[in-house]
Amino acid sequence: MITTPSSNPKLLGYWAYLAIEKHFQRTIQYETDVLKDKDPEALHQMRVGMRRLRTVVKGFEPALVLPKAAREKKITKVARRLGQLRDLDIMQDALQNQYLPTLPNSEQKIGKKVLATLAKRRHHVLVQVQKTLKDKPYQEMKLAFQDWLQTPTYGIFAEFPIDQILPDLLLPFVSQFFLHPAWLMGVEFSDGQKQVAQDLSLENVVELLSSQSSVLHSLRKQAKRVRYQMELFTEFYDTPYQDYVKEIKSIQGTLGQIQDSFVLAEFLSDCLHLEIKKELPTLVEELSGNRYQLWQEWRTLQERYLHPETRQDLRLIVVHPLTTTTYPSPVSVEDTQHDN
């Protein structure tokens, strides 16, 4: 075990420390606003920060020795609780600002009742979030990270040259992304040749997306993980690498919109016991139309990422980081208010 923090930017331990410091500080800076429920954006950014911190802990695992209270499972529990509240905020915003204004009066009345129910549920989940952030496990996790940043301990790979180990850190995430079963949704094989479903009707698309929504959601989460991991090291690669990061973010965004649509419909039908096709026909039609549009976007991305040249290109880029004697400044990850 290495106990002296590395000050050498050529080594993995140096970057592990900077990444943990960056994302831990970013996470806790929003804690007060989340507790006061001042701004939904604070909740969003704290959730993003927690997820990025989890990626750092997982991605730099070979170089880190963290206390038990600061390990991945502890972070996941808090991130999941924040996510429950964030999902309600997304649903509330979509219903109120995107769908409700376009509905006829009869459906708007139902929509307003739904918003009232959402508000009650959100208050209940908010109380749980506030309790989570005040309870002992979260406080112990914060203290564990603060103590580690004061006196960090490292694994043996902390002394490994960063440019030599980057492919080994990144390729497992890329491989898991490529091997996700959602890429084969609607794909048929004939003598080893892939054929992506073409020209499906709106009804066929809605049925396919409904049956595969959980698989697509799983790919969305995998896209987020590989993107977060890749973003940790953008300084070590040229523009093509950064273009892939942006494209994976667009995959995540498209799949996220599909998932949000199904979450809203499920909430309306299951939680409020509404026959939405009968009571909210305009909304159902709009949701279906949006899914069809998103399907077109997804199909283009699906075909590109099933192409062997795309896969090999990304693998080769990851395998060849920049080799330079002048190493970049600390980890540069997008710090925008609309990060996700």
Side-chain angles (χ1 to χ4, degrees):
M1 183 186 298
I2 302 166
T3 57
T4 303
S6 172
S7 59
N8 187 345
K10 293 183 179 181
L11 304 181
L12 183 62
Y14 173 88
W15 292 91
Y17 183 91
L18 288 177
I20 287 181
E21 181 181 46
K22 178 184 182 71
H23 295 298
F24 174 68
Q25 296 299 339
R26 174 181 177 172
T27 298
I28 63 172
Q29 79 179 72
Y30 296 102
E31 181 183 321
T32 300
D33 285 348
V34 171
L35 284 168
K36 294 180 179 179
D37 197 27
K38 291 181 65 175
D39 182 2
E41 187 62 27
L43 169 69
H44 173 50
Q45 291 303 324
M46 186 172 185
R47 181 195 191 190
V48 168
M50 195 69 69
R51 286 178 163 181
R52 286 190 180 276
L53 183 61
R54 180 175 60 192
T55 299
V56 168
V57 168
K58 181 67 175 176
F60 283 101
E61 189 175 13
L64 296 171
V65 176
L66 291 169
K68 186 175 181 180
R71 292 176 188 169
E72 185 184 2
K73 288 184 179 180
K74 303 294 184 178
I75 303 170
T76 298
K77 289 181 180 179
V78 179
R80 187 177 293 123
R81 180 66 76 191
L82 294 173
Q84 291 170 350
L85 186 58
R86 175 62 183 169
D87 289 345
L88 291 174
D89 282 348
I90 292 172
M91 198 187 313
Q92 194 174 46
D93 179 70
L95 186 59
Q96 184 168 344
N97 298 314
Q98 180 180 351
Y99 295 112
L100 199 62
T102 66
L103 299 179
N105 290 336
S106 58
E107 293 186 42
Q108 283 197 15
K109 290 179 180 178
I110 298 174
K112 289 175 181 177
K113 292 180 181 178
V114 173
L115 284 172
T117 302
L118 269 172
K120 292 178 182 177
R121 177 162 296 190
R122 187 188 183 282
H123 176 73
H124 174 71
V125 176
L126 173 63
V127 171
Q128 293 179 323
V129 166
Q130 291 168 331
K131 184 176 184 299
T132 296
L133 297 184
K134 293 175 182 177
D135 277 354
K136 185 177 180 181
Y138 174 74
Q139 296 300 324
E140 288 180 341
M141 184 186 73
K142 274 205 313 181
L143 182 61
F145 274 112
Q146 289 166 347
D147 288 346
W148 187 89
L149 289 168
Q150 288 292 322
T151 311
T153 50
Y154 299 96
I156 54 175
F157 275 97
E159 298 291 328
F160 213 91
I162 181 71
D163 58 350
Q164 294 179 28
I165 202 171
L166 271 180
D168 301 314
L169 293 176
L170 290 169
L171 282 174
F173 286 83
V174 173
S175 296
Q176 290 170 23
F177 179 60
F178 283 160
L179 289 171
H180 198 284
W183 291 116
L184 299 183
M185 188 182 79
V187 174
E188 295 182 356
F189 286 89
S190 177
D191 295 326
Q193 299 298 311
K194 300 182 293 291
Q195 181 64 48
V196 180
Q198 303 284 339
D199 301 324
L200 295 179
S201 67
L202 187 148
E203 291 77 15
N204 291 147
V205 168
V206 170
E207 182 179 351
L208 181 61
L209 291 177
S210 297
S211 65
Q212 299 292 321
S213 62
S214 62
V215 180
L216 284 175
H217 181 50
S218 176
L219 177 59
R220 176 199 183 186
K221 292 190 289 186
Q222 187 62 48
K224 190 174 294 186
R225 282 191 285 268
V226 71
R227 173 193 150 210
Y228 284 177
Q229 183 72 359
M230 289 178 68
E231 282 181 339
L232 291 173
F233 305 110
T234 53
E235 299 91 342
F236 291 91
Y237 292 92
D238 281 329
T239 301
Y241 177 95
Q242 296 165 27
D243 290 340
Y244 272 108
V245 172
K246 293 176 183 176
E247 196 166 58
I248 292 170
K249 184 177 181 179
S250 72
I251 292 170
Q252 175 193 327
T254 297
L255 296 179
Q257 291 180 68
I258 294 173
Q259 173 67 12
D260 292 343
S261 170
F262 280 105
V263 168
L264 176 58
E266 184 178 354
F267 179 84
L268 292 171
S269 59
D270 293 348
C271 299
L272 302 181
H273 308 293
L274 289 176
E275 295 182 28
I276 58 173
K277 287 186 178 180
K278 178 181 177 181
E279 300 185 63
L280 295 167
T282 308
L283 177 58
V284 169
E285 184 177 353
E286 189 169 350
L287 288 172
S288 297
N290 287 346
R291 289 171 193 164
Y292 189 76
Q293 173 84 30
L294 292 164
W295 161 261
Q296 302 300 326
E297 296 176 20
W298 155 249
R299 190 169 59 82
T300 301
L301 293 164
Q302 180 188 26
E303 287 184 314
R304 170 162 161 71
Y305 276 81
L306 282 176
H307 201 288
E309 288 185 5
T310 302
R311 292 173 169 236
Q312 185 65 359
D313 184 48
L314 180 53
R315 292 189 200 104
L316 290 174
I317 288 171
V318 166
V319 168
H320 296 102
L322 297 175
T323 54
T324 176
T325 55
T326 304
Y327 280 78
S329 58
V331 180
S332 173
V333 178
E334 297 177 17
D335 284 320
T336 66
Q337 288 190 332
H338 301 287
D339 190 16
N340 53 56

